[in-house]
Amino acid sequence: MGTWIFEPGHTEAEFRARHMMVTWVRGLFKDIRGSVEFDRARCMETSFEGRIDATRIWTGENDRDAHLRSADFFDVENHPAITFAGRFTDRIGDTHFRGETDLAIRGITVIVPLDVAWLGEWSTPFWVGDENRGEMRRIGFEATTRVNRHDFGVSWQDELPRGGVVVSDRIEIAIDVEAILVEDLETTGAIDYYREIGALPESRS
């Protein structure tokens, strides 16, 4: 199995919640560090793990972001990280899988199902100035899920007339992953940069 690290600048988790019963509020987590053990020929042995910096939540509105960081929601002062560790469980197509992950938010861990699509593999050059130091293989995944935020103690709510609520209980999540083969980071010398930014698994850092 190859070890692939998440490329932090191109890996993200987007969530959306229904606001005031009528529209969606979307937010992003961009600072995601982690790795996936993956081999195209042994897909069902795939596993992955990672860490999200919850303090850097972004919805495009500063006051809302501050509220989401507070104890009403993610309580980042006490729980600055969201962590996950998961695996593929079923193959449902040539490039589509079901998986599950142990997702920890606010110190509460819940097993969450995933629908996963493998997007393929590409070899890309690694440039330092005008010098091409070699190729790095990259793979991509998309995953989606839906969670009940109350399962994680994210339970702030306000009521509206006629039984409405300000924030929906169900939260939809979409994840985009770009991952680079660690072997190629070592060959090209790019591993020093990824070590510096803390993107490598502990066994490689």
Side-chain angles (χ1 to χ4, degrees), residues 163-199:
V165 295
V166 173
V167 183
S168 60
D169 295 338
R170 296 285 180 178
I171 308 298
E172 297 186 8
I173 301 171
I175 302 113
D176 293 295
V177 172
E178 178 178 313
I180 306 172
L181 188 63
V182 170
E183 176 185 334
D184 293 348
L185 295 179
E186 295 170 339
T187 301
T188 61
I191 196 165
D192 292 335
Y193 167 74
Y194 287 95
R195 180 179 290 116
E196 183 179 328
I197 65 173

Side-chain angles (χ1 to χ4, degrees), residues 1-2 21 30 38 43 47 51 58 64 66 70 74 83 102 115-116 127 129 131 143 146 161 165 169 171 173 179 204:
M1 298 289 281
M21 307 297 292
K30 291 289 292 184
F38 177 81
C43 292
S47 62
R51 180 184 187 278
W58 182 88
R64 179 168 56 220
S70 77
F74 288 99
T83 62
D102 302 315
D115 291 315
V116 184
W127 292 90
E131 179 186 0
R146 178 182 293 180
V165 295
D169 295 338
I171 308 298
I173 301 171
R204 302 274 185 158

Side-chain angles (χ1 to χ4, degrees), residues 33-54:
R33 312 300 170 103
S35 63
V36 55
E37 298 291 323
F38 177 81
D39 186 316
R40 177 73 169 123
R42 300 158 61 190
C43 292
M44 292 312 301
E45 298 176 33
T46 298
S47 62
F48 51 89
E49 62 181 1
R51 180 184 187 278
I52 301 170
D53 185 349

Side-chain angles (χ1 to χ4, degrees), residues 55-126:
T55 71
R56 299 184 64 182
I57 189 171
W58 182 88
T59 67
E61 208 284 314
N62 290 337
D63 289 343
R64 179 168 56 220
D65 292 351
H67 192 197
L68 289 172
R69 285 191 289 267
S70 77
D72 283 344
F73 289 95
F74 288 99
D75 191 15
V76 301
E77 182 175 351
N78 295 303
H79 305 285
I82 296 168
T83 62
F84 57 90
R87 62 219 61 85
F88 287 1
T89 57
D90 296 286
R91 189 168 192 165
I92 58 175
D94 184 41
T95 59
H96 288 76
F97 306 87
R98 290 194 177 94
E100 63 181 21
T101 187
D102 302 315
L103 178 63
I105 299 174
R106 292 174 57 113
I108 300 171
T109 301
V110 176
I111 298 175
V112 173
L114 296 169
D115 291 315
V116 184
W118 179 68
L119 303 180
E121 176 181 328
W122 289 90
S123 291
T124 60
F126 174 61

